[in-house]
Amino acid sequence: MLNTMQTKLCLAVIAVAALAGCATSTKPGAVGVTRTQLLIVPASEVDAMALSDFSNQNQKAKSAGRLLTSGPEYTRVARIAKALQVQVPVFRDDTKDWKWELALIDAPILNATCAPGGKITFYTGLIRKLKLTDDEIAMIMGHEIAHALREHGRERMSQAKATGGLAALANVLAPTKGLQVAVASEASHYLFTLPNSRQNETEADTIGLELAARAGYNPKAAMSVWEKMAAEGGGAGNAEFLSTHPADSTRIASLTAMQPRVVPLYEAAAKADTGSSKAEASASAAASGKPAAATKSRKKKSSK
């Protein structure tokens, strides 16, 4: 049992740690997310836990013959993931050091996640059940990447550690093997299972919307995908994703209100892509001596 002096000292240490751990994990971007976060759990610890969970998930999926690493669906999802990854330095410079990975799991589950460090998981059930377009896949994936960029899982772990007060600090000061195992098992609970706050969900919606728009995906798909989610809300197999991502009218209204901020980014990306395609066609035509053929814009990616 801690005596009064030890208690005061511990409380002082907690207060200092909390102040030192206040920061914002991302740059504002065009959408202007600037909220200060409590991040007292070391990022390296969270990343290690997330990587372990991601590896275990993939091993189980591989053993069950459900981990897709090739084929049309994998190629499609990987292409979208790559396009979004190119845009993440807008919010974080350190993402150049992330070891991005994609796990596409063939299961009738409506779920997707992105663990710290760029470990993306997508389920075929989400694509097939909702008949997602490329734009809609990009909106969901951008949203999940945004959670990783904002380190919402680490933030929740930090909040739990801070509110745990003396018990949490005592555990840190006197760790045991049993405690370490318990902490590891709780990591995925804070990273993926617990529902995000409305504030965190709005941040992920906002940043994800900008990522997708900058990558040339139509931001209007953000509303259509959540409308599809809402329509599927009561179906079997939907509970996991919808329990942490409520698809309600407030969310759709918020995404609609964000459109003026991101539509110009989408239009600029589409224009740049069209210009690049035309330049490539002209160069190819010049080399072959034939007239340049008309080119199609990035909007082609909206197909299913």
Side-chain angles (χ1 to χ4, degrees):
M1 179 68 68
L2 297 176
N3 61 35
T4 302
M5 183 61 67
Q6 288 174 315
T7 299
K8 290 180 178 179
L9 177 60
C10 287
L11 287 172
V13 171
I14 291 171
V16 171
L19 288 173
C22 288
T24 183
S25 55
T26 55
K27 294 181 287 185
V31 293
V33 175
T34 59
R35 180 179 64 87
T36 299
Q37 301 164 274
L38 178 65
L39 300 169
I40 60 175
V41 174
S44 58
E45 292 184 13
V46 178
D47 291 353
M49 295 174 189
L51 178 59
S52 176
D53 190 70
F54 183 75
S55 298
N56 290 337
Q57 163 204 271
N58 294 346
Q59 185 57 51
K60 290 178 181 177
K62 184 177 181 180
S63 297
R66 293 186 175 277
L67 185 65
L68 303 183
T69 57
S70 62
E73 282 184 304
Y74 181 85
T75 300
R76 181 189 182 200
V77 176
R79 171 172 48 78
I80 296 169
K82 182 64 176 178
L84 294 173
Q85 290 161 26
V86 171
Q87 305 302 323
V88 294
V90 169
F91 293 98
R92 286 183 64 154
D93 294 324
D94 65 338
T95 53
K96 66 181 182 297
D97 298 322
W98 284 16
K99 303 296 189 294
W100 291 92
E101 292 184 63
L102 170 65
L104 180 60
I105 299 177
D106 187 12
I109 297 172
L110 271 67
N111 201 18
T113 62
C114 182
K119 311 305 181 187
I120 301 170
T121 299
F122 229 83
Y123 287 83
T124 58
L126 189 61
I127 301 169
R128 297 170 187 170
K129 180 72 172 178
L130 300 185
K131 297 180 173 60
L132 296 180
T133 65
D134 284 11
D135 293 320
E136 290 168 340
I137 292 174
M139 295 304 141
I140 293 174
M141 191 178 292
H143 175 99
E144 295 306 321
I145 290 174
H147 277 309
L149 293 175
R150 285 294 287 166
E151 299 188 80
H152 286 150
R154 180 185 171 204
E155 183 179 14
R156 291 201 302 275
M157 293 175 72
S158 296
Q159 291 167 347
K161 183 174 181 178
T163 56
L166 298 177
L169 183 60
N171 287 336
V172 173
L173 295 176
T176 64
K177 182 66 174 179
L179 174 64
Q180 293 170 3
V181 172
V183 169
S185 66
E186 284 294 301
S188 62
H189 178 65
Y190 284 105
L191 290 171
F192 306 122
T193 305
L194 284 180
N196 279 291
S197 67
R198 172 66 69 180
Q199 187 175 48
N200 286 1
E201 282 298 293
T202 298
E203 287 179 356
D205 281 346
T206 303
I207 291 175
L209 195 60
E210 179 172 340
L211 285 174
R214 286 182 179 277
Y217 293 98
N218 193 334
K220 291 182 179 179
M223 286 84 77
S224 65
V225 74
W226 287 109
E227 287 168 354
K228 288 181 178 181
M229 289 285 191
E232 290 292 332
N238 303 341
E240 185 170 4
F241 192 82
L242 293 176
S243 66
T244 57
H245 299 77
D248 55 26
S249 58
T250 301
R251 178 177 221 136
I252 294 171
S254 177
L255 287 165
T256 301
M258 292 177 195
Q259 294 297 303
R261 301 186 193 181
V262 297
V263 166
L265 301 174
Y266 164 63
E267 292 174 342
K271 183 177 180 180
D273 186 70
T274 301
S276 175
S277 297
K278 287 180 177 178
E280 291 174 3
S282 296
S284 177
S288 64
K290 297 179 180 179
T295 58
K296 296 182 179 180
S297 75
R298 187 182 290 256
K299 285 186 177 181
K300 181 67 176 178
K301 293 196 305 183
S302 298
S303 62
K304 295 179 181 179

